[in-house]
Amino acid sequence: AGAALLTVILFTLYIFHGIRRNIQLNKELVLAKQRAEDLASVKEEFLANMSHEIRTPLNAIIGYSERLSQTELDKKQGEFISAVQKSSDLLLATVNDILDFSKIEAGKLRIDAIPFEPAAVVREVVDTLQLHAEKKHLALQYDTSSIDDLFVTGDPIRLKQILINLTGNGVKFTDSGFVKIICTRVDDGENIVLKYQVADTGMGIEQDKQDLIFDAFSQADASATRRFSGTGLGLAICKKLVELQNGSINVESQPEEGSVFTVVIPYLPANEERVTYVKQVAGKPNVEQIKDKHILLVDDDEYNIQLTRM
């Protein structure tokens, strides 16, 4: 009986010790979680502040070098300015990628729902990248015949960001041939589902590396980082943006033959009244409306004020 009583007492003490230890571990877990959240918040604030601090002088560098390139320069000076512009554009793209990725990771990136015309977004992407394609003697094409005049409710800015990234990669990794954007409609009931395909005749991607390209800070070919530069965040950001819009993205590719990136995004139909309004305000702004008007510009950077005044 004494042995049994001692066993019960020891067992009870063991249980209480276990409970006390679990309570302590839970407290430590809560504190660790709080510390992790605080660190994440500090990191996000740091990245936001740093991106602003980097972007401000970069805007001045890009703006003044562009203005300088429009003046009379000899051949050597033109080469110097071109190098400054290319380096500045690359640095700005890197800062933008890091900031966007940090926002997505922190769950702070918002997806808008406004009426827009997807075909117009595709045309804007082609207009933006046309000069880059021409410099490499590539044909930059698009086909939106099946969705012309179609309006949907979604986020045109994020769509443009996705297509510029995919099409820009196509131009970057293609030495000859073409890059083409094809947009078609593949509805599944009440939603308007659009499929965007970006095809190129570039270097292609090996089968075993096609899944890796959507991971952050990774590229299919390590030598591509040295040859083409970049953070390795572009496709990771594209995937996150597509998923935030309840869509999907995949790639089909053959080495030395080219790649086809396919993005599928569902949209809601656009309100007819909003579509009419968007059509009315679309197009070139009426410059006469601001003729002889005064503009107040407020900025804490003197160089940006001078640049805007010019």
Side-chain angles (χ1 to χ4, degrees):
L5 180 61
L6 182 61
T7 302
V8 170
I9 293 172
L10 291 174
F11 188 66
T12 303
L13 290 173
Y14 179 76
I15 290 174
F16 276 112
H17 176 72
I19 292 173
R20 225 177 15 249
R21 180 161 178 74
N22 280 338
I23 292 172
Q24 183 62 29
L25 287 173
N26 283 333
K27 287 181 178 178
E28 292 176 2
L29 198 60
V30 169
L31 290 173
K33 181 174 178 292
Q34 185 63 46
R35 280 197 297 270
E37 290 176 350
D38 291 342
L39 286 172
S41 177
V42 170
K43 183 189 77 170
E44 181 188 345
E45 186 177 349
F46 171 77
L47 286 172
N49 289 337
M50 285 306 299
S51 67
H52 172 73
E53 293 302 320
I54 296 173
R55 273 173 167 169
T56 299
L58 260 180
N59 286 335
I61 293 170
I62 292 172
Y64 280 106
S65 60
E66 183 178 344
R67 294 288 297 176
L68 190 57
S69 68
Q70 296 168 0
T71 62
E72 293 185 9
L73 302 171
D74 60 36
K75 183 178 179 182
K76 184 61 70 175
Q77 290 172 329
E79 292 175 356
F80 292 162
I81 287 298
S82 178
V84 170
Q85 288 177 315
K86 289 178 181 177
S87 299
S88 302
D89 289 340
L90 176 59
L91 184 55
L92 184 60
T94 301
V95 171
N96 288 337
D97 281 351
I98 293 173
L99 182 61
D100 282 343
F101 188 76
S102 65
K103 280 184 177 180
I104 292 171
E105 290 292 285
K108 296 294 181 69
L109 197 69
R110 187 183 68 182
I111 299 297
D112 289 330
I114 60 175
F116 75 97
E117 187 181 6
V121 175
V122 173
R123 291 192 294 270
E124 288 176 14
V125 171
V126 172
D127 289 342
T128 302
L129 297 173
Q130 189 68 56
L131 184 60
H132 295 286
E134 289 176 356
K135 286 181 178 178
K136 298 186 70 175
H137 305 289
L138 299 175
L140 183 54
Q141 307 163 342
Y142 70 93
D143 181 2
T144 58
S145 56
S146 65
I147 64 160
D148 283 341
D149 299 321
L150 171 69
F151 277 79
V152 297
T153 299
D155 194 326
I157 301 299
R158 298 307 169 189
L159 173 61
K160 186 174 181 179
Q161 186 175 358
I162 292 166
L163 292 180
I164 280 185
N165 209 309
L166 296 177
T167 311
N169 278 352
V171 173
K172 182 193 295 186
F173 295 111
T174 302
D175 292 327
S176 62
F178 67 87
V179 179
K180 186 173 184 178
I181 307 174
I182 306 167
C183 188
T184 53
R185 183 171 174 174
V186 286
D187 291 2
D188 67 345
E190 62 180 36
N191 288 332
I192 297 174
V193 182
L194 299 184
K195 179 169 71 173
Y196 307 92
Q197 291 182 297
V198 180
D200 65 64
T201 55
M203 58 191 296
I205 307 164
E206 294 180 8
Q207 184 70 36
D208 60 341
K209 295 180 180 177
Q210 291 179 13
D211 291 335
L212 298 176
I213 60 175
F214 294 107
D215 294 337
F217 305 105
S218 69
Q219 290 181 330
D221 184 358
S223 63
T225 304
R226 293 186 294 273
R227 181 182 172 192
F228 298 103
S229 301
T231 59
L233 285 174
L235 291 177
I237 291 172
C238 282
K239 184 180 180 182
K240 296 282 189 181
L241 290 176
V242 170
E243 291 174 347
L244 284 172
Q245 298 175 83
N246 301 314
S248 62
I249 182 171
N250 62 70
V251 61
E252 297 177 8
S253 183
Q254 293 291 333
E256 307 304 326
E257 293 184 14
S259 306
V260 178
F261 285 85
T262 302
V263 174
V264 178
I265 300 177
Y267 297 103
L268 292 174
N271 179 280
E272 288 298 327
E273 292 182 4
R274 291 291 298 160
V275 170
T276 302
Y277 173 75
V278 171
K279 287 182 177 179
Q280 287 175 348
V281 300
K284 294 183 178 180
N286 185 358
V287 181
E288 290 298 320
Q289 291 181 345
I290 61 171
K291 187 177 181 181
D292 298 325
K293 296 291 191 298
H294 295 282
I295 297 173
L296 174 63
L297 173 67
V298 181
D299 200 309
D300 61 355
D301 186 84
E302 182 62 29
Y303 293 120
N304 280 339
I305 291 178
Q306 293 177 8
L307 183 62
T308 310
R309 186 180 290 117
M310 283 194 294

